[in-house]
Amino acid sequence: MVLQVDLPGLNLANPIMPASGCFGFGAEYDKYYDIGQLGAVMIKATTPEARFGNPTPRVAETPSGMLNAIGLQNPGLDVVMGRILPELADKHPELPIIANVAGSTVEDYVTVCREISHAPNVRAIELNVSCPNVKHGGIAFGTDPATAGALTEAVKQVSTVPIYVKLSPNVTDIVPIAKAIEAGGADGFTMINTLLGMRIDLKTRKPILANQTGGLSGPAIKPVAIRLIRQVAQVSRLPIIGMGGVMTVDDVLEMFLAGAQAVAVGTANFTDPFVCPKLIEGLPVRMAELGISSLQQLIKEVREELDQ
């Protein structure tokens, strides 16, 4: 079975990668297995300055998933560029890194994208547009087509690697936002980000998370991810890296059938640290059972169906 997938900036030996925020910067999982076998690694979000994140508690379990409100905790651009990315390059020189970039203003995104795109092992950037735009009343960049399109255009002007924009499901209609991002020059999409949710403690009668709300991830959101991936694939030919509740090889293939060309695994890494290598090992077996000779051929067939 041929697992290779070619995307803008990314020649992937296989389509499996950990989703940003669920894998740190890779070092933690590298203690358990050789992360060089992954198709790519989406590292934790990087902002211009170090961020300590939200107050605790920041995580709450839910049926078939979890809520998190980490708050983009990270050591900042200088540490990521000066230590973390060079260490990854030294240990895994062939491993493609997708750098997740976040910020509070357009200038934040531009600053990080300009610098981080020059790291030798960064092959693409994932733009986290679910962050509030503090200059425009706190509206999230990814919930307004004009704002999302303008941000995409701004970072495209300074990045030396392809830009994949991470789409939020917390919108009324994802299609105009995807179209605006494509018009802004994006090279692809990653989707979906987490759904906004809340849990309340019956004893205290207060929200469990200190931030009150958090992002819902895990198997519970997979049907939403499948629906939104198909919606975007029907109106755009840009490649999609699908994510949202992936646990099994069948989940991976379902994402492909919806219109994705690669798959990121998030919450499942917390329940099974070995889930990514297990998926890479099990994917050819399941493909053979289903008569799929190569993922590239499957992508072509799905694209032809979508174009009809």
Side-chain angles (χ1 to χ4, degrees):
M1 298 296 110
V2 180
L3 299 185
Q4 182 178 349
V5 175
D6 295 324
L7 303 176
L10 300 165
N11 302 118
L12 308 177
N14 65 76
I16 305 299
M17 63 190 77
S20 175
C22 302
F23 207 73
F25 290 98
E28 297 85 351
Y29 285 83
D30 211 16
K31 297 175 183 177
Y32 293 95
Y33 64 86
D34 176 12
I35 65 172
Q37 66 188 283
L38 300 172
V41 168
M42 289 174 159
I43 60 173
K44 193 165 173 34
T46 300
T47 53
E49 307 296 333
R51 290 182 60 153
F52 297 100
N54 292 324
T56 58
R58 307 196 291 192
V59 175
E61 191 172 354
T62 66
S64 297
M66 62 176 282
L67 289 169
N68 91 85
I70 304 300
L72 300 174
Q73 179 180 344
N74 75 97
L77 178 60
D78 288 346
V79 173
V80 172
M81 288 293 292
R83 176 176 61 81
I84 293 174
L85 287 173
E87 287 178 356
L88 276 169
D90 287 343
K91 193 163 187 183
H92 302 287
E94 302 302 320
L95 178 63
I97 301 298
I98 302 173
N100 183 289
V101 174
S104 300
T105 64
V106 172
E107 292 78 12
D108 285 350
Y109 284 93
V110 168
T111 296
V112 179
C113 287
R114 179 188 290 114
E115 295 300 320
I116 210 163
S117 67
H118 288 288
N121 50 341
V122 170
R123 310 291 170 77
I125 286 172
E126 180 184 42
L127 214 59
N128 183 349
V129 296
S130 295
C131 306
N133 180 0
V134 297
K135 287 190 176 180
H136 290 83
I139 186 173
F141 285 98
T143 60
D144 176 70
T147 304
L151 175 61
T152 304
E153 187 174 354
V155 299
K156 277 292 292 181
Q157 292 176 3
V158 300
S159 175
T160 61
V161 298
I163 298 290
Y164 291 74
V165 180
K166 191 169 191 175
L167 299 184
S168 170
N170 301 306
V171 295
T172 304
D173 187 357
I174 204 168
V175 168
I177 296 168
K179 287 182 175 180
I181 289 168
E182 181 172 11
D187 299 281
F189 301 108
T190 69
M191 57 188 299
I192 57 174
N193 209 330
T194 54
L195 290 155
L196 196 60
M198 177 189 283
R199 282 204 60 207
I200 295 175
D201 187 306
L202 297 184
K203 294 181 179 179
T204 66
R205 302 187 180 185
K206 295 179 180 179
I208 293 175
L209 297 177
N211 195 59
Q212 297 196 34
T213 62
L216 175 65
S217 62
I221 75 167
K222 192 188 80 171
V224 179
I226 295 296
R227 187 257 300 182
L228 292 174
I229 288 169
R230 174 55 67 96
Q231 274 189 273
V232 172
Q234 286 174 328
V235 299
S236 173
R237 294 180 66 90
L238 290 185
I240 296 171
I241 299 176
M243 62 189 74
V246 173
M247 301 282 287
T248 69
V249 289
D250 282 9
D251 295 336
V252 172
L253 292 171
E254 189 175 356
M255 291 248 167
F256 272 82
L257 292 174
Q261 286 86 32
V263 171
V265 183
T267 302
N269 287 289
F270 299 140
T271 58
D272 181 3
F274 299 96
V275 64
C276 285
K278 286 179 179 178
L279 291 175
I280 295 168
E281 182 180 357
L283 193 52
V285 177
R286 188 63 172 138
M287 287 169 61
E289 293 172 354
L290 295 170
I292 302 169
S293 60
S294 81
L295 292 177
Q296 286 288 87
Q297 180 61 30
L298 179 61
I299 291 168
K300 180 181 178 182
E301 291 172 1
V302 172
R303 186 68 259 172
E304 289 173 351
E305 178 186 347
L306 289 169
D307 287 341
Q308 288 179 357

